[in-house]
Amino acid sequence: MKIGICTFLVSLVASVSFANPYLPKPGEKILSLRISTCAVSGGFIHLYTALDNGLFDKYGMKFENIFIRGSGPNLSALAGDEVQFTYCASDAIIPGMAAGIDAKIVASPLVKLPYVLVTRKEIRRPEDLKGKTLGIARAGDLSDRLSRAVVKKLGLPAESVTIRPIGGSQGERYQAMAAGIVHGVIITPPLDVRAKNEGYNVVYRLIDLNLPFIYSSLHTSYKMLRERPEIVQRMVAALAEIVYYVEKNPDKAKASVAKAMRTNDQEALQSAYNVYAKEILDRTMVVPGKAVAEAVELARESGTPVRRKPEEIYDNSFVSNLEKSGFLKEVWGSENYRR
């Protein structure tokens, strides 16, 4: 009997120790919130999977996902409390935050460059780009900065390649290349698989630039941080568990990307999953301060009036709490979540 009682007490202590501290209290009202996305991308695989499979329900949250094209309008919606969170590539949003818009990055699951440079069929080598045109969305935006970085990395004179703003989404810029309006564009998986299947060339993978980079990340407003920090913490915890879910449920994750991107190309979906659920994933979701600082400096060099220090536009306290509380260890069990 004594052994049985001891065993029960040990199990009880263990269950109490690892009780999820970020779940809503019994009887608590479900929160209705809005989260915006700035593009349609396989890089948002974690958010798409969560929305499709009701993964926020456990944390007492129901989200309306709103698509708002471009980083600037997303930041405006966030600062105006039209949305409570934005999920977007941080490197695209950092210039706006550095300029003084009231928002911060609170979690960064994806932290490397997933982009590739694809070109028309006649351009097979970097030197073939001389005298040609690369299509970007807008001057000074992320597609512009990355295109210029690639031209420099390939050792081509800056003036030898024309950078042409043509607007549109990645898919629309890809179509512009296919139509011969430009000769190359920067895109992300799974569009690279489509490009190869249609006979175009992947000339360069930007992960080889070895640049500090922050891709898909969770952003929130000063208002949320000031008035509802417990909801921000709950959201960050939910995202951490979603990262685990996506890694362990590849078929459901790929189905969500297929739905969002309107494709059933299994090779393309697998490519997206490999990149975003594994290759560039950081399970801890820590926002890399060095990458933020470099992005702010690049924004300054591009003419952005920088009004905030790098450390003022991100907050790692929420992801730090996940580790301190033992939450990440509980989610990943015997696996090393720091790998």
Side-chain angles (χ1 to χ4, degrees), residues 199-229:
Y200 299 111
N201 301 308
V202 176
V203 172
Y204 192 77
R205 297 188 177 278
L206 274 67
I207 197 168
D208 294 333
L209 284 173
N210 224 12
L211 291 174
F213 190 78
I214 314 171
Y215 193 49
S216 298
S217 299
L218 184 67
H219 308 76
T220 196
S221 64
Y222 276 39
K223 179 181 174 66
M224 285 291 291
L225 290 167
R226 182 177 60 252
E227 299 178 6
R228 307 175 83 184

Side-chain angles (χ1 to χ4, degrees), residues 80-269:
D81 201 35
E82 295 171 42
V83 298
Q84 288 68 55
F85 297 96
T86 289
Y87 200 68
C88 188
S90 277
D91 259 74
I93 284 188
I94 284 172
M97 293 188 291
I101 294 179
D102 290 342
K104 285 190 177 186
I105 316 165
V106 292
S108 295
L110 305 183
V111 291
K112 294 179 184 177
L113 278 165
Y115 296 85
V116 298
L117 171 63
V118 298
T119 60
R120 289 183 56 78
K121 298 173 185 179
E122 65 271 20
I123 300 172
R124 297 181 178 85
R125 303 167 301 169
E127 51 266 36
D128 295 337
L129 281 169
K130 289 182 179 178
K132 302 300 191 296
T133 301
L134 297 181
I136 63 168
R138 292 171 299 280
D141 79 344
L142 183 59
S143 63
D144 184 8
R145 300 200 304 273
L146 292 178
S147 295
R148 294 181 189 280
V150 169
V151 169
K152 182 178 180 180
K153 179 69 175 181
L154 293 176
L156 301 171
E159 65 277 7
S160 70
V161 180
T162 300
I163 306 294
R164 179 181 172 183
I166 57 175
S169 64
Q170 280 191 40
E172 290 165 334
R173 296 197 295 278
Y174 175 83
Q175 289 297 336
M177 182 198 70
I181 296 171
V182 294
H183 299 93
V185 289
I186 299 284
I187 59 172
T188 54
L191 264 179
D192 60 332
V193 173
R194 176 181 171 185
K196 287 188 289 184
N197 289 342
E198 293 180 356
Y200 299 111
N201 301 308
V202 176
V203 172
Y204 192 77
R205 297 188 177 278
L206 274 67
I207 197 168
D208 294 333
L209 284 173
N210 224 12
L211 291 174
F213 190 78
I214 314 171
Y215 193 49
S216 298
S217 299
L218 184 67
H219 308 76
T220 196
S221 64
Y222 276 39
K223 179 181 174 66
M224 285 291 291
L225 290 167
R226 182 177 60 252
E227 299 178 6
R228 307 175 83 184
E230 74 285 355
I231 304 306
V232 177
Q233 182 67 77
R234 190 184 297 182
M235 179 60 171
V236 172
L239 184 58
E241 189 164 345
I242 289 159
V243 165
Y244 175 85
Y245 183 92
V246 165
E247 188 166 324
K248 303 307 177 185
N249 296 274
D251 290 341
K252 290 184 178 180
K254 286 185 285 185
S256 292
V257 174
K259 176 183 172 184
M261 301 198 71
R262 299 178 183 177
T263 180
N264 288 312
D265 184 330
Q266 293 304 307
E267 183 184 1
L269 293 171

Side-chain angles (χ1 to χ4, degrees), residues 37 65 144 167 169 174-175 190 200 237 240 251-253 263 272 278 286 298 318-319 325 327 331 336:
T37 43
N65 179 209
D144 184 8
S169 64
Y174 175 83
Q175 289 297 336
Y200 299 111
D251 290 341
K252 290 184 178 180
T263 180
K278 295 192 172 183
V286 172
L298 280 173
F318 300 100
V319 291
S325 68
F327 177 81
V331 167
N336 179 13

